[in-house]
Amino acid sequence: MGLLGCGETNTESVSSENRSQEIHQDTPFIQDYSIKYTLEQEDTRPLQIASDRNGAIRVLSTAGLLLPRKGQFLYPGTLVPDTRYRTSKHKIISGITSYDQQLVYVDQQAVYSNAWAGKLFDEHALSSPRLIAGGPDLSFLISDGTSLELLQNGNSIWKGEAPAGTVEVIRFDPQTAAFWVLGADRVDVFSPESQSWRQVYTAPDLTALAVLEDKLVLGTSDGFLYVDKSNGEPIGAIQRRLPATDISCIREIDGRLWFGSDMGAFALREDGTYDYYHGERWIPGSAVIDITAGPEQSVLILTDEGLAQIHFDTMTLEEKASFYQEQVRDRHIRLGFNASLSGMNGGDITTGYLSDSDNDGLWTSMYLGGEVFRYAVTKAPDALQNCRESLEAMERLFTINNVPGFPSRSFERSGYIEQLSDPHRWQPTGDPEWDWKSTTSSDEAIGHIFVYGAMAELVDDEDLQQRSIALIDTLMQHVIDNDLYLVDFDGKPTTWGRWNPEYVNARPKMVGDRKLNASNLIAMLQTAYHFTGKEIYKEKAFELMEEHEYLDNLMRPISEIGTAPEDADDWSKMLSENWNHSDDEMYFLGYWGLYRYAFNDTLQAMYKDAIIDHWEAERPEKEGAWNLFTAMTGTDSFDLAEAVWYLQEYPLDLITWTMNNSHRKDIDLLEPNFRQQFTEAVLPPDELRISRHNANRFTLDGGNDGRSEYSAGDIWLLPYWLGRYLGVISPAAG
């Protein structure tokens, strides 16, 4: 076998290499999520929102006062009429605010409140006031849109017309002890003490106002700008690098600037970028009407279609893992498989069904891998039981069909083929109760071998170990017996289960499948040899590496992968139109067996170079799983911070809401390229569509209006527990 056949690799020494690596200490971070409330009454338009120290939330609408009913995470509530104060039913409330953490109203007669024993009742002289702002000592400036009146202690202190002719916003500023008033094209400040006005700034198309300690923030239909409070001079240029530029409202909440727009809400980060809350994951509808502080450090976002209460809870990664674990076990296990909840009605998780998938074996392999790592770390009995249940489903993929060593894609009870995905792929079994799905691909094969190897090595249960090794041997013997193909029930190779040199090397060297298939097959053969000791697997691997260029193929730098030349065959051209992100998933799952069960140290060092070369190309995606699989090699550089960012930023809500970002002005678009990187920087996971690891994280728009919920088992729990097993993510502090 030459130099490549010398020596052996010690698996234990491989796993200990991470001792010099950086470790993320799992301390609490801020996890945001939304509880939504939709309008119960038709033809109702929300107008304003406020809350008080007791956590009471009130929405002023064209149908009167509304309050939230029910509502919890993933179970939206509704906004219903407020009937708490039956003696106030006759009042026509036209404005609402929060003053000293109490609710204050203005109606056709007075400014009043049910706080302070109801003593606040200041009658006014305006026809239909809708704007109200509180000043010192229970003073209030109100406006009907053209006139203003200052009230205090039951008296009208001042009344007059707006200098700008119109009033859009009123804000009181404790720093200047004055009221700032926004008109359509100017900002004025009113001094209650001198009862005088001062014009501060003028410009057309002003839409929103916030008053900070030393400056104003003014919204327009095309961005926002800062203005010096003292002299009215603009501070810098107008800000248009925003998620959306048509600004409807601005609020400072707990030191952060929040902006409402016609395309959602966004909050300014310390680094000058924005957290974007848009799409049904976060808010009902798109047009934001009002934003204010809510109970328990939440933020209330009022839209044309309802209310979103954005919560900001502290959570560790370990706690997030527990949350996701419940999500998976509650509604994502189908016959032991890790499955999606599909057919949902508008994000309602009580309306979905557990769906079959072409990749039941793959998604389950990835979830099962996470449970293997969890058990290896914690020895949790439920993790071991989960391993048993999912392994049983994986085993049955082999036994439910009559093709020796061939894993089905899936199986399901008979009589429902037309309702299942790809009905033409389903085949009957010998049991009239069951059907099985054919045409299994290389995606499933590499997933199978990855998780059986991990289980055989890391789960200290002899029964599960032996069953896993038997499955490795069963699948790989089928591949060997069938000339390195997956051969289906019809005696023909499946479309993608092809590792034979005749197929692999028919591709030009720059076509990714040539590198991928070589990498995956060597990984699978190494795993089979490592656990069975059968020489045929080792001999075949070295034959392929030394006589058929498989080592050269798998070591080919990612930078050399690209489109096939014009004279290539049509299949190669199709395979290389652009980068296939499913390939990344197959590569990195395969890297477990390629690196960990390398035949010798020489090969292992070469494999490490290939893995890191691939990881370098993937770095812009900040993909948590790929970063953590790279950590397996012991390298000190694997973007741990970006992996943690991925884990922390992934939303708790895994419903496939439609999420759109291509309209944003705060992203830098790139020219079309082979890797389909559409933007300079990848957006946080909670601003993107929900996707698995085989998707392009640079895709800006996507989703299906909340018709499915994905499982956290493969998306999140696999990379988290891999990081825990490798020791680069610590247990939760304390």
Side-chain angles (χ1 to χ4, degrees):
M1 294 183 180
L3 178 63
L4 297 182
C6 296
E8 295 290 340
T9 299
N10 186 321
T11 302
E12 292 184 3
S13 68
V14 174
S15 63
S16 67
E17 285 184 8
N18 62 20
R19 291 176 184 169
S20 66
Q21 293 173 318
E22 180 184 1
I23 299 173
H24 170 72
Q25 300 299 323
D26 187 15
T27 56
F29 62 94
I30 300 298
Q31 177 68 61
D32 48 358
Y33 62 92
S34 176
I35 297 178
K36 292 162 285 189
Y37 303 87
T38 57
L39 293 167
E40 187 177 71
Q41 298 172 294
E42 294 184 3
D43 302 322
T44 298
R45 184 164 57 90
L47 301 171
Q48 298 171 359
I49 188 167
S51 69
D52 69 8
R53 62 183 294 271
N54 301 310
I57 298 171
R58 294 296 181 270
V59 172
L60 178 63
S61 75
T62 54
L65 278 182
L66 308 176
L67 57 79
R69 181 177 68 182
K70 298 182 179 179
Q72 56 182 300
F73 179 59
L74 298 182
Y75 297 89
T78 55
L79 295 174
V80 299
D82 177 15
T83 60
R84 297 290 168 81
Y85 279 88
R86 58 182 179 175
T87 56
S88 298
K89 289 180 64 176
H90 66 285
K91 293 184 178 295
I92 303 175
I93 297 171
S94 53
I96 185 174
T97 191
S98 177
Y99 182 93
D100 195 21
Q101 299 186 66
Q102 303 287 2
L103 293 173
V104 176
Y105 311 98
V106 58
D107 67 0
Q108 309 302 300
Q109 181 184 7
V111 171
Y112 76 95
S113 177
N114 296 312
W116 307 291
K119 291 185 289 185
L120 174 62
F121 192 84
D122 292 353
E123 294 190 84
H124 61 76
L126 300 185
S127 59
S128 184
R130 59 182 176 82
L131 302 173
I132 177 172
D137 303 321
L138 285 174
S139 63
F140 296 91
L141 184 64
I142 62 174
S143 176
D144 57 11
T146 56
S147 301
L148 299 107
E149 186 173 6
L150 181 64
L151 305 170
Q152 187 175 28
N153 297 326
N155 299 312
S156 177
I157 306 300
W158 174 88
K159 184 175 181 293
E161 298 301 307
T166 61
V167 179
E168 304 296 334
V169 180
I170 307 173
R171 297 281 186 259
F172 179 73
D173 176 21
Q175 299 293 324
T176 58
F179 291 94
W180 294 78
V181 178
L182 177 74
D185 58 4
R186 60 188 275 179
V187 180
D188 297 277
V189 61
F190 175 72
S191 169
E193 183 178 359
S194 64
Q195 298 181 11
S196 62
W197 290 91
R198 176 171 63 91
Q199 180 177 314
V200 177
Y201 181 77
T202 181
D205 195 29
L206 299 177
T207 60
L209 165 69
V211 184
L212 308 185
E213 184 174 345
D214 59 343
K215 56 181 172 286
L216 307 176
V217 190
L218 300 178
T220 77
S221 61
D222 189 27
F224 77 89
L225 69 156
Y226 296 107
V227 171
D228 191 295
K229 285 165 60 174
S230 62
N231 58 26
E233 293 295 323
I235 304 172
I238 190 167
Q239 305 290 308
R240 294 190 178 92
R241 188 177 171 81
L242 310 171
T245 57
D246 191 350
I247 308 300
S248 58
C249 58
I250 307 173
R251 290 279 189 176
E252 184 184 27
I253 302 174
D254 295 330
R256 294 190 75 188
L257 273 178
W258 283 79
F259 300 85
S261 76
D262 63 332
M263 295 288 283
F266 46 95
L268 181 63
R269 299 189 189 119
E270 290 183 1
D271 64 0
T273 59
Y274 297 90
D275 288 316
Y276 190 29
Y277 298 91
H278 181 231
E280 293 288 334
R281 176 184 300 151
W282 296 111
I283 61 175
S286 289
V288 175
I289 295 169
D290 197 6
I291 299 177
T292 193
E296 299 178 337
Q297 287 75 54
S298 67
V299 172
L300 304 175
I301 301 175
L302 187 67
T303 76
D304 57 342
E305 296 186 24
L307 167 67
Q309 184 176 10
I310 310 297
H311 291 260
F312 300 89
D313 290 353
T314 57
M315 179 179 282
T316 63
L317 290 176
E318 191 169 308
E319 289 171 332
K320 193 168 184 176
S322 295
F323 172 86
Y324 281 143
Q325 184 71 20
E326 292 182 12
Q327 184 245 24
V328 175
R329 301 309 300 182
D330 177 56
R331 54 185 182 273
H332 288 282
I333 300 298
R334 182 187 73 85
L335 300 171
F337 293 120
N338 177 46
S340 294
L341 198 63
S342 301
M344 290 162 40
N345 180 18
D348 183 350
I349 60 175
T350 66
T351 62
Y353 59 85
L354 289 166
S355 60
D356 68 284
S357 165
D358 260 11
N359 293 316
D360 275 342
L362 176 60
W363 307 144
T364 305
S365 294
M366 297 173 76
Y367 163 64
L368 182 52
E371 289 300 278
V372 167
F373 296 135
R374 180 163 79 97
Y375 178 73
V377 170
T378 67
K379 303 300 180 185
D382 69 310
L384 187 62
Q385 180 60 25
N386 294 342
C387 287
R388 288 194 186 99
E389 293 178 7
S390 287
L391 183 64
E392 191 168 9
M394 299 288 282
E395 284 176 319
R396 198 175 184 208
L397 290 173
F398 289 84
T399 60
I400 201 165
N401 67 67
N402 61 0
V403 184
F406 183 84
S408 310
R409 282 188 182 271
S410 187
F411 55 81
E412 187 52 276
R413 297 186 188 278
S414 60
Y416 301 92
I417 286 179
E418 295 306 318
Q419 301 175 34
L420 302 177
S421 63
D422 304 309
H424 62 283
R425 294 182 175 178
W426 288 84
Q427 306 297 326
T429 68
D431 185 341
E433 179 70 12
W434 296 95
D435 294 317
W436 68 279
K437 197 171 190 177
S438 62
T439 71
T440 305
S441 77
S442 52
D443 304 55
E444 282 72 58
I446 194 62
H448 280 271
I449 298 301
F450 152 69
V451 77
Y452 301 150
M455 184 174 289
E457 179 188 350
L458 302 178
V459 175
D460 57 359
D461 180 288
E462 185 175 355
D463 174 61
L464 293 181
Q465 288 176 337
Q466 293 307 313
R467 288 160 64 186
S468 297
I469 293 170
L471 289 171
I472 294 171
D473 194 26
T474 297
L475 175 54
M476 294 311 298
Q477 191 62 54
H478 173 97
V479 173
I480 293 291
D481 290 345
N482 288 281
D483 203 17
L484 306 182
Y485 291 103
L486 274 181
V487 174
D488 214 334
F489 72 98
D490 57 3
K492 299 176 182 179
T494 64
T495 301
W496 301 108
R498 298 166 181 253
W499 300 279
N500 187 287
E502 185 179 77
Y503 172 83
V504 172
N505 290 337
R507 313 278 75 80
K509 292 184 177 181
M510 77 287 295
V511 175
D513 268 38
R514 181 163 175 158
K515 174 180 172 68
L516 172 65
N517 286 16
S519 178
N520 275 187
L521 183 59
I522 297 304
M524 293 192 293
L525 290 169
Q526 285 187 162
T527 304
Y529 174 74
H530 182 86
F531 289 104
T532 70
K534 291 185 177 180
E535 288 297 324
I536 182 60
Y537 298 129
K538 186 174 186 179
E539 291 170 0
K540 180 58 67 174
F542 277 106
E543 174 191 329
L544 293 167
M545 287 192 288
E546 295 178 336
E547 299 178 22
H548 297 283
E549 302 182 49
Y550 274 43
L551 183 59
D552 292 338
N553 288 343
L554 72 87
M555 290 299 299
R556 184 162 293 112
I558 291 291
S559 61
E560 295 181 10
I561 304 301
T563 56
E566 284 299 316
D567 60 353
D569 62 285
D570 290 342
W571 189 256
S572 294
K573 289 179 180 178
M574 181 277 295
L575 288 172
S576 61
E577 290 175 351
N578 49 55
W579 186 258
N580 187 332
H581 293 268
S582 287
D583 290 357
D584 292 325
E585 188 169 66
M586 296 170 66
Y587 274 117
F588 279 95
L589 290 180
Y591 288 156
W592 178 266
L594 186 70
Y595 180 81
R596 197 167 182 85
Y597 310 132
F599 289 123
N600 56 58
D601 292 340
T602 301
L603 283 171
Q604 188 179 75
M606 297 175 70
Y607 298 154
K608 179 176 180 178
D609 289 343
I611 294 169
I612 293 175
D613 172 71
H614 186 178
W615 167 77
E616 287 282 0
E618 298 298 323
R619 294 182 74 179
E621 288 198 46
K622 301 183 181 180
E623 225 290 352
W626 309 161
N627 290 335
L628 291 166
F629 269 104
T630 302
M632 170 189 62
T633 67
T635 179
D636 290 334
S637 178
F638 59 94
D639 287 349
L640 176 60
E642 307 295 15
V644 171
W645 173 84
Y646 172 95
L647 295 171
Q648 291 181 344
E649 290 289 329
Y650 221 91
L652 295 180
D653 181 345
L654 299 187
I655 294 172
T656 57
W657 297 113
T658 297
M659 304 295 287
N660 294 315
N661 291 282
S662 57
H663 62 276
R664 295 174 63 162
K665 303 297 190 295
D666 62 333
I667 57 178
D668 295 313
L669 298 177
L670 299 180
E671 293 296 321
N673 55 78
F674 176 72
R675 291 191 62 84
Q676 295 185 297
Q677 181 176 341
F678 302 120
T679 56
E680 183 69 31
V682 70
L683 292 172
D686 62 358
E687 297 177 12
L688 299 169
R689 60 174 180 160
I690 294 298
S691 61
R692 292 188 167 94
H693 298 291
N694 63 340
N696 182 3
R697 296 201 59 248
F698 283 98
T699 299
L700 295 173
D701 303 333
N704 63 10
D705 297 323
R707 293 197 295 271
S708 301
E709 183 190 52
Y710 281 4
S711 168
D714 52 288
I715 292 173
W716 198 94
L717 290 173
L718 171 63
Y720 170 72
W721 285 112
L722 173 60
R724 285 288 305 274
Y725 169 72
L726 295 174
V728 296
I729 298 175
S730 79

